[in-house]
Amino acid sequence: MKFLCQIWFDTEKSKLVPQTEWDALTQECITSDNRWRESGHLLVALALHEPSTAITVRLRNGDVSATDGPFAEIKEHLGGFVLIEAETIEEAKTIVSSFPILKYCSIEVRPTYAIQGNSHALHLPDL
């Protein structure tokens, strides 16, 4: 089963971490990612640029609009994500618990599913 692991940072606290500390953490994360990738558990790991680099795209009444920046003012921001393969959510939790980045963030672990041919598909309201 695949699990999406969303890496959430406290926006203000993450600004206080010295660059040398981030650089050392990056190296630890690369080593950890490589170990989990080699074991077949880590499928994708990507960091995201700061929220200020985002655009928010909306479709309302047939009109598409895009605005600069994140959708809302938030105290936490999504800093990256990891897609892992694990037998259970407990195994996923064990894997995520070993991520060095966890010292600086919280990680939401959520099971995934394919929307095509799946009885668990989302039922969205008409927009």
Side-chain angles (χ1 to χ4, degrees):
M1 175 178 251
K2 291 177 179 57
F3 293 87
L4 179 67
C5 307
Q6 298 176 45
I7 301 168
W8 291 93
F9 291 99
D10 178 303
T11 301
E12 292 306 313
K13 286 183 182 177
S14 64
K15 291 177 184 176
L16 302 176
V17 178
Q19 188 60 49
T20 55
E21 201 169 320
W22 280 125
D23 293 345
L25 177 64
T26 297
Q27 291 308 308
E28 287 181 59
C29 289
I30 289 169
T31 300
S32 174
D33 288 357
N34 287 340
R35 183 171 55 100
W36 287 113
R37 190 175 289 110
E38 288 167 7
S39 74
H41 290 90
L42 190 142
L43 305 175
V44 175
L46 291 172
L48 298 173
H49 288 279
E50 294 184 19
S52 62
T53 65
I55 63 167
T56 299
V57 180
R58 294 180 184 85
L59 175 64
R60 298 291 181 262
N61 301 319
D63 294 325
V64 175
S65 67
T67 54
D68 290 340
F71 175 70
E73 202 58 38
I74 52 176
K75 292 184 187 262
E76 291 185 319
H77 68 275
L78 184 61
F81 64 91
V82 178
L83 185 65
I84 61 173
E85 183 76 37
E87 292 293 321
T88 65
I89 198 161
E90 284 303 315
E91 182 183 19
K93 180 177 129 184
T94 298
I95 293 167
V96 169
S97 295
S98 75
F99 290 175
I101 195 75
L102 195 55
K103 294 179 273 192
Y104 299 87
C105 68
S106 60
I107 301 177
E108 178 183 327
V109 179
R110 194 182 301 186
T112 68
Y113 63 90
I115 61 172
Q116 185 174 357
N118 189 314
S119 62
H120 293 91
L122 292 176
H123 299 284
L124 298 175
D126 294 330
L127 299 178

